[in-house]
């Protein structure tokens, strides 16, 4: 974790598009995985076949499972409920309006 001290203790600006930054971030990431502090897992996520992309929660709209109101994939504004896009019924892609499918992806 030698890089954490460097990254958070320096008052200099670090450009994120440099080779040095990419190397530091990659080494930090691999070290965190080796120590078991982060891990890779398979999850189900909404996917739009028409747009051929995984959809962030905010790009999915549907019906809230709690109150039946229209909601985005990340929240229902009617009662301020935090949601996951897979919980919504009658889901639609906010980009094209088509219903998304569900696919497994590594996260």
């Amino acid at each position: 974790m030698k890089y954490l001290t460097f990254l958070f203790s320096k008052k200099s600006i670090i450009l994120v598009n440099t080779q040095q930054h990419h190397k530091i971030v990659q080494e930090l990431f691999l070290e965190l995985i080796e120590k078991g502090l982060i891990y890779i897992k398979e999850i189900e996520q909404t996917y739009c076949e028409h747009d051929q992309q995984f959809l962030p929660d905010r790009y999915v709209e549907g019906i809230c499972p709690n109150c039946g109101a229209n909601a985005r994939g990340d929240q229902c504004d009617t009662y301020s409920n935090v949601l996951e896009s897979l919980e919504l019924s009658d889901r639609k892609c906010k980009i094209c309006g088509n219903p998304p499918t569900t696919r497994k992806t590594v996260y």
Side-chain angles (χ1 to χ4, degrees):
M1 301 288 178
K2 61 185 175 183
Y3 294 114
L4 283 179
T5 304
F6 171 76
L7 289 172
F8 295 108
S9 67
K10 301 294 180 190
K11 293 186 179 183
S12 62
I13 296 174
I14 298 172
L15 298 175
V16 296
N17 61 346
T18 64
Q19 287 292 344
Q20 180 185 11
H21 181 266
H22 290 223
K23 182 180 178 220
I24 289 170
V25 170
Q26 186 174 28
E27 288 176 5
L28 175 61
F29 178 76
L30 292 173
E31 186 176 341
L32 291 170
I33 286 178
E34 287 172 13
K35 292 186 176 194
L37 298 172
I38 59 174
Y39 56 93
I40 297 170
K41 70 177 183 175
E42 190 174 76
I43 62 167
E44 285 194 351
Q45 190 174 356
T46 50
Y47 183 85
C48 181
E49 298 288 346
H50 179 265
D51 296 311
Q52 296 184 345
Q53 68 180 29
F54 284 99
L55 299 172
D57 287 344
R58 65 186 173 280
Y59 282 34
V60 180
E61 294 179 332
I63 305 299
C64 175
N66 300 311
C67 70
N70 290 328
R72 291 188 312 274
D74 56 352
Q75 71 181 31
C76 174
D77 291 330
T78 304
Y79 292 104
S80 300
N81 291 326
V82 176
L83 301 170
E84 302 257 344
S85 61
L86 297 176
E87 295 178 291
L88 299 175
S89 59
D90 197 26
R91 294 190 306 257
K92 291 190 177 29
C93 170
K94 196 170 179 180
I95 300 168
C96 68
N98 291 319
T101 59
T102 302
R103 283 197 183 178
K104 290 187 177 188
T105 185
V106 176
Y107 187 73

